[in-house]
C-alpha cells in the first residue's frame, strides 16, 4: 500500500508533526488494517515536493523536542486516509502545534538552496519551483519574490 503525498501530509497533520519513523509506523498500521504492507518509499518524494517538511530540533518549530520531525508542507492538501482517525488512539503521542513562522524559515532556507542549485547547475525543475514559491508565500510569512524573479528569468 502506498499513501499519496497528501495522505502522508494528512497523517502528519493529524499530530501536528511526527518523527519520520512514526510516520512509517502509522503507514504500517493503516496497511495492516487493510491486510497489506506499507510502501513508504514516497515519503522522501513528499519531502522533495514540499508536501512534507523535515526539520531538526534546533529549528525552533516545536518546543521540547529532541528529534527530527516532519510537518505538512506548503504544497500539501492534507487528506486523512481511511482508518487514520484511529491513529491518535494507537500512538501514545500528544499533538503539537508547529510554529508556522519558524517552519516558514526552514522552508525558505531549503527553497533558496533548491533554487540556487536549479539555477546553478540546471538540476531542478524550475517550473515546479516557481509554482512552489507561491505555495510557500501563501502558507508562511516569507517573501520569495527575489528568487522567483531569478527563476522566472531562467525559465
Amino acid at each position: 500500500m502506498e499513501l499519496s503525498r497528501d495522505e502522508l501530509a494528512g497523517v502528519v497533520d493529524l499530530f501536528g508533526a511526527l518523527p519520520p519513523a512514526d510516520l512509517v509506523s502509522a503507514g504500517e498500521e493503516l496497511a495492516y488494517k487493510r491486510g497489506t504492507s506499507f510502501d513508504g518509499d514516497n515519503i522522501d518524494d513528499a519531502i522533495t515536493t514540499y508536501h512534507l517538511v523535515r526539520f531538526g530540533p534546533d529549528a525552533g518549530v516545536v518546543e521540547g523536542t529532541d528529534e527530527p520531525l516532519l510537518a505538512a508542507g506548503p504544497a500539501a492538501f492534507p487528506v486523512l486516509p481511511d482508518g487514520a482517525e484511529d491513529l491518535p488512539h494507537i500512538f501514545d503521542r500528544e499533538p503539537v502545534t508547529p510554529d508556522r513562522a519558524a517552519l516558514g524559515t526552514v522552508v525558505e532556507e531549503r527553497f533558496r538552496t533548491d533554487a540556487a542549485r536549479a539555477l546553478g547547475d540546471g538540476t531542478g525543475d524550475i517550473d515546479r519551483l516557481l509554482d512552489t514559491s507561491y505555495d510557500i508565500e501563501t502558507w508562511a510569512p516569507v517573501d520569495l519574490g527575489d528568487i522567483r524573479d531569478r527563476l522566472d528569468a531562467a525559465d
Side-chain angles (χ1 to χ4, degrees):
M1 177 190 92
E2 181 177 291
L3 295 175
S4 72
R5 296 170 186 158
D6 288 330
E7 288 174 323
L8 290 167
V11 170
V12 169
D13 201 41
L14 189 60
F15 295 92
L18 276 178
D22 283 4
L23 178 56
V24 170
S25 294
E28 289 169 347
E29 180 66 32
L30 293 171
Y32 174 77
K33 289 180 177 185
R34 298 175 188 175
T36 187
S37 61
F38 175 63
D39 176 9
D41 291 344
N42 65 336
I43 292 173
D44 287 338
D45 179 58
I47 294 168
T48 300
T49 60
Y50 292 86
H51 286 77
L52 294 175
V53 177
R54 183 187 327 237
F55 58 93
D58 59 335
V61 176
V62 174
E63 294 297 320
T65 185
D66 60 353
E67 58 189 336
L69 298 172
L70 297 170
F77 292 96
V79 174
L80 285 179
D82 290 337
E85 60 277 352
D86 295 331
L87 292 173
H89 305 293
I90 295 168
F91 290 92
D92 186 23
R93 188 161 198 89
E94 289 295 319
V96 296
T97 303
D99 179 293
R100 184 54 63 94
L103 196 52
T105 299
V106 169
V107 171
E108 179 180 11
E109 289 172 5
R110 181 179 150 222
F111 181 82
R112 288 182 180 280
T113 299
D114 288 350
R117 185 177 308 115
L119 291 167
D121 62 16
T123 60
D125 181 349
I126 289 178
D127 287 334
R128 182 184 60 81
L129 288 170
L130 280 167
D131 289 344
T132 302
S133 72
Y134 292 105
D135 293 337
I136 294 169
E137 286 183 335
T138 301
W139 179 79
V142 299
D143 181 3
L144 300 172
D146 60 328
I147 194 71
R148 186 173 35 253
D149 290 344
R150 291 180 54 212
L151 288 166
D152 198 32
D155 188 32

